[in-house]
Amino acid sequence: LDGIVAGSFDVVVLSLVLSCVPEPQQRIEMIARARRCLRDDRGLLCIVEVGTILANPKWYGNDHSEEWKDAIQAVGFRCKRFEDTVKEHRPYRQKKTLQWVFETAPVPDGPQTLTPLMT
């Protein structure tokens, strides 16, 4: 984005965006761009995705949400909160919805190898 000054935002929200980005490498590049837009001191990144975006850990064998958290932290974030369910009280029901809140952390020096966000 041409008109955005690096480090000028307090909060970036990516709601149901990453699941529309077709390539895993493009997803993590989007996160890295969001990091550049955020302030270095306590900027927040909020990510919301549908639960079906990630492979089922019962047959995948790993926890994709943990892999996403690790990859996102590697580009300069610290995970503050993760929820995988939205609970509605009237009528009572639960929906699998992945929600992360990250706080900015120091960005590693030198060139980075970005870990793709796999689905």
Side-chain angles (χ1 to χ4, degrees):
L1 299 172
D2 288 339
I4 296 177
V5 177
S8 61
F9 284 83
D10 294 323
V11 179
V12 171
V13 177
L14 299 176
S15 179
L16 306 174
V17 172
L18 296 175
S19 56
C20 296
V21 177
E23 295 298 321
Q25 188 64 33
Q26 291 173 320
R27 291 183 200 120
I28 195 64
E29 289 169 359
M30 182 180 281
I31 298 293
R33 285 188 199 108
R35 175 61 182 92
R36 288 192 297 273
C37 292
L38 286 166
R39 298 181 342 177
D40 285 333
D41 57 326
R42 299 186 60 98
L44 292 176
L45 171 65
C46 302
I47 299 174
V48 177
E49 280 300 332
V50 293
T52 56
I53 183 72
L54 302 179
N56 187 331
K58 291 178 184 173
W59 61 266
Y60 173 65
N62 290 331
D63 183 356
H64 262 321
S65 61
E66 190 69 23
E67 291 174 359
W68 275 39
K69 181 190 82 159
D70 292 343
I72 293 168
Q73 288 186 143
V75 296
F77 288 101
R78 182 180 314 108
C79 187
K80 299 299 285 180
R81 186 174 182 139
F82 172 73
E83 296 284 336
D84 64 358
T85 306
V86 171
K87 297 175 183 167
E88 297 178 13
H89 296 287
R90 291 196 182 139
Y92 183 78
R93 56 187 166 188
Q94 294 184 20
K95 295 182 182 180
K96 185 155 177 77
T97 305
L98 307 171
Q99 307 159 83
W100 291 269
V101 176
F102 292 92
E103 181 179 62
T104 52
V107 176
D109 290 333
Q112 296 178 11
T113 302
L114 301 177
T115 304
L117 296 179
M118 305 300 285
T119 56

